[in-house]
Amino acid sequence: MKKTKMRALLFLVIGLLVVLSACSGGGKNIAIGPPASETNNVSKLILEAYGIEDEDYNKFQEGFGDAADGVQDGNIDVSIGILGLPAGSIESLQASAKDVKMLSLSDEAIKYIEENSGYRRLTIPKDTYDFLTEDVETVTAYAILMGNTDTIDEELGYQLAKIMVENASENTHDQAKQMTLENALRGAEGLLIHPGAKRYYEEQGLTVDNEVAELTANESDRKSELILGTGSQGGTYYPLGGEMASIWNKHVDGINVTNTETGASVENLASIRDGHMDLGMAVHVPAGQALNGEADFKDNEVKNAAFIGHIYPEVIQIVTREKTKITSFDDLK
């Protein structure tokens, strides 16, 4: 009887080892962002541009903060993030690791990404970070605020947009300086706009050509408790969104906005769709996909979300350490 049990246990252990072996790649450890996040989506697009397939690397799906810790500890070779410039998490990583290296994308990869997404080329100047010795070529999109048209009525949408712009100076986060009237409609192209936001921007002299979203929300039964979806604590969305929420709470009567940690863009848009969230920070690319029923939203489009305002430019930043000897994505093949 004992031999039978031991044999069964041995087969179980062997089977588990086989499964674990099959699930792991044979190459470098790459952090591609949490599941259901835009970081995850664009990371896969970048790897695809270089012909790097799932079996060519070991996949780590976590927020940039945890991924940066992994890079520092040597457990992760490369981490891909969508962050503002400069990113505090990258500066902190350099302060600890002392040998951070940022990877550029090749011209061919950038062309592929531009042809297959809404991302566009951006040059990160070498004076952005102390550790850079040359400019870095990458791609960028825009972080925007989307509102639930079932819970954000016209007047509330007006106030949210107004406070974002006119009280941005109260926000101490580095990226808050991007929330200006000049930038207000960046990332709005092709998206439905909230009628309250449209009214505010037109009062300020901006031309708004977007189709206007239809609202089911009305001021008479407005919710007092609102949820703002942000991102992981190690990224830009969470701390920036926390300050945005506090400023709204200070200046808009009758509401309390609570920011919550999420997987960012895709999760926030899906949560708005499903009625679990009132406001969501998102990259403009998946926002367009959500409204058009594409990519992650192919079978379940988002019909109740509308653009409220631009937050800041979202820049793809890819970091490793000098000790990995990785100089480009070609080294990951």
Side-chain angles (χ1 to χ4, degrees):
M1 178 66 78
K2 289 183 178 179
K3 289 183 178 179
T4 302
K5 289 183 177 179
M6 288 296 294
R7 188 179 296 112
L9 180 60
L10 180 60
F11 284 140
L12 179 62
V13 171
I14 292 173
L16 179 60
L17 291 174
V18 170
V19 170
L20 290 175
S21 176
C23 290
S24 72
K28 300 294 186 180
N29 297 335
I30 305 177
I32 63 172
S37 72
E38 179 59 12
T39 302
N40 196 281
N41 289 338
V42 75
S43 294
K44 292 176 180 177
L45 182 62
I46 290 169
L47 295 169
E48 186 179 291
Y50 282 90
I52 299 172
E53 301 181 355
D54 285 350
E55 62 268 21
D56 296 329
Y57 69 99
N58 300 312
K59 184 185 304 180
F60 285 73
Q61 300 186 91
E62 48 217 291
F64 192 83
D66 291 336
D69 289 341
V71 173
Q72 179 181 334
D73 297 340
N75 298 321
I76 292 176
D77 298 301
V78 175
S79 180
I80 303 172
I82 306 179
L83 306 162
L85 283 177
S89 52
I90 292 179
E91 292 176 325
S92 296
L93 175 60
Q94 169 63 7
S96 301
K98 311 296 186 186
D99 67 341
V100 172
K101 181 177 181 62
M102 186 169 288
L103 303 182
S104 279
L105 298 175
S106 67
D107 290 342
E108 294 78 11
I110 290 174
K111 181 180 179 182
Y112 182 87
I113 294 165
E114 288 182 332
E115 289 175 347
N116 290 277
S117 74
Y119 288 87
R120 295 294 177 263
R121 177 188 284 270
L122 177 83
T123 300
I124 300 176
K126 66 180 180 180
D127 60 0
T128 303
Y129 296 103
D130 290 342
F131 62 85
L132 292 182
T133 58
E134 59 186 10
D135 294 347
V136 173
E137 297 304 319
T138 186
V139 291
T140 188
Y142 296 109
I144 61 174
L145 179 70
M146 297 292 285
N148 188 330
T149 57
D150 295 328
T151 62
I152 306 298
D153 59 82
E154 181 175 341
E155 180 59 25
L156 181 54
Y158 177 95
Q159 293 296 330
L160 293 172
K162 175 183 172 71
I163 299 305
M164 279 181 68
V165 172
E166 297 185 6
N167 296 86
S169 61
E170 298 177 29
N171 195 318
T172 64
H173 196 284
D174 286 342
Q175 302 308 319
K177 63 180 179 291
Q178 302 291 340
M179 288 187 281
T180 64
L181 192 62
E182 180 183 15
N183 295 340
L185 295 176
R186 287 186 173 184
E189 185 178 354
L191 301 181
L192 294 174
I193 193 168
H194 193 285
K198 179 178 187 292
R199 176 159 61 92
Y200 171 69
Y201 295 134
E202 289 185 335
E203 283 182 2
Q204 304 308 307
L206 299 183
T207 300
V208 182
D209 295 325
N210 302 64
E211 182 181 349
V212 181
E214 294 184 9
L215 304 181
T216 60
N218 60 77
E219 189 173 353
S220 63
D221 61 357
R222 177 187 298 168
K223 293 171 61 177
S224 59
E225 296 291 332
L226 303 175
I227 301 297
L228 166 67
T230 58
S232 67
Q233 292 194 33
T236 302
Y237 281 10
Y238 186 80
L240 177 58
E243 292 205 41
M244 291 169 63
S246 296
I247 294 167
W248 282 323
N249 294 341
K250 177 181 177 182
H251 293 284
V252 183
D253 293 335
I255 66 165
N256 182 65
V257 181
T258 300
N259 66 304
T260 184
E261 182 180 12
T262 70
S265 299
V266 177
E267 181 179 341
N268 293 342
L269 292 160
S271 294
I272 288 176
R273 177 194 62 205
D274 299 337
H276 303 314
M277 197 171 283
D278 307 288
L279 299 162
M281 300 168 75
V283 178
H284 84 278
V285 176
Q289 293 169 342
L291 297 187
N292 295 322
E294 300 169 347
D296 288 296
F297 303 93
K298 185 175 182 180
D299 300 317
N300 207 346
E301 66 186 288
V302 179
K303 299 180 179 179
N304 62 329
F307 176 91
I308 291 179
H310 164 271
I311 305 176
Y312 69 95
E314 288 269 46
V315 183
I316 304 301
Q317 299 176 67
I318 306 157
V319 295
T320 183
R321 294 181 62 182
E322 295 285 356
K323 71 175 188 178
T324 66
K325 307 300 182 184
I326 297 170
T327 61
S328 73
F329 273 89
D330 291 325
D331 296 332
L332 302 177
K333 294 180 180 179

